[in-house]
Amino acid sequence: MRILLVEDDEMIGEAVADGLKGEGYAVDWVKDGNSAIIALDTTPFSLVILDLGLPGKDGLAVLKDTPVLVTTARDTVNDRIEGLDAGADDYLIKPYDLDELSARIRALLRRSAGRSDPIIRRGRLTINPSTREVLFNGES
């Protein structure tokens, strides 16, 4: 799965990108709203992790059809309502735990693929993305 990370904070961006790459995701990281729009116009992504307070263009101006998980320090109820009403699929307030971010990513990717069950089954093959366990005929 390819994820676009839109985050202008170096420390947060590096930690999130490294964490997601460690979980097996392909991560493209951009640091401003204009670069995010270019990336979304030229590359297909499975998910966007989007900060709202960006240089160039505000994060809400970047929302597209791709599933979007907003990560922001904007923490009022009105901010969350505005983000979700603008098209975000989920909203996570900074600072956040990388494990929670990963769980929310898995949930969004499942829903966008039309699945509610976290386990992927294809014939005799079973994949559990949250534990990274793969079984064939019931064996690891």
Side-chain angles (χ1 to χ4, degrees):
M1 300 283 169
R2 191 167 191 172
I3 295 176
L4 177 62
L5 172 61
V6 187
E7 173 61 63
D8 63 325
D9 183 289
E10 285 286 328
M11 188 173 72
I12 293 171
E14 277 185 38
V16 172
D18 289 346
L20 293 176
K21 287 176 185 175
E23 291 194 24
Y25 294 106
V27 179
D28 293 3
W29 175 22
V30 297
K31 300 172 184 171
D32 64 78
N34 292 324
S35 297
I37 289 172
I38 292 168
L40 287 166
D41 286 343
T42 59
T43 307
F45 291 96
S46 300
L47 177 76
V48 178
I49 299 173
L50 178 65
D51 184 16
L52 293 183
L54 296 169
K57 284 197 184 294
D58 185 74
L60 292 179
V62 173
L63 290 173
K64 297 274 187 180
D65 293 333
T66 304
V68 173
L69 169 58
V70 167
T71 60
T72 183
R74 297 180 190 176
D75 63 352
T76 69
V77 171
N78 284 338
D79 289 329
R80 293 190 302 266
I81 290 169
E82 182 181 1
L84 293 166
D85 283 347
D89 298 285
D90 199 357
Y91 199 102
L92 188 58
I93 298 169
K94 294 178 184 176
Y96 51 83
D97 183 87
L98 283 176
D99 290 334
E100 180 181 5
L101 175 67
S102 294
R104 288 173 182 255
I105 288 169
R106 289 190 301 272
L108 284 170
L109 293 174
R110 254 194 334 267
R111 284 196 303 268
S112 70
R115 296 183 299 109
S116 60
D117 185 3
I119 307 298
I120 302 167
R121 294 177 180 84
R122 295 289 183 262
R124 297 179 291 171
L125 181 68
T126 304
I127 302 169
N128 185 335
S130 63
T131 62
R132 297 187 188 163
E133 183 178 29
V134 178
L135 303 175
F136 185 75
N137 286 335
E139 294 185 29
S140 252

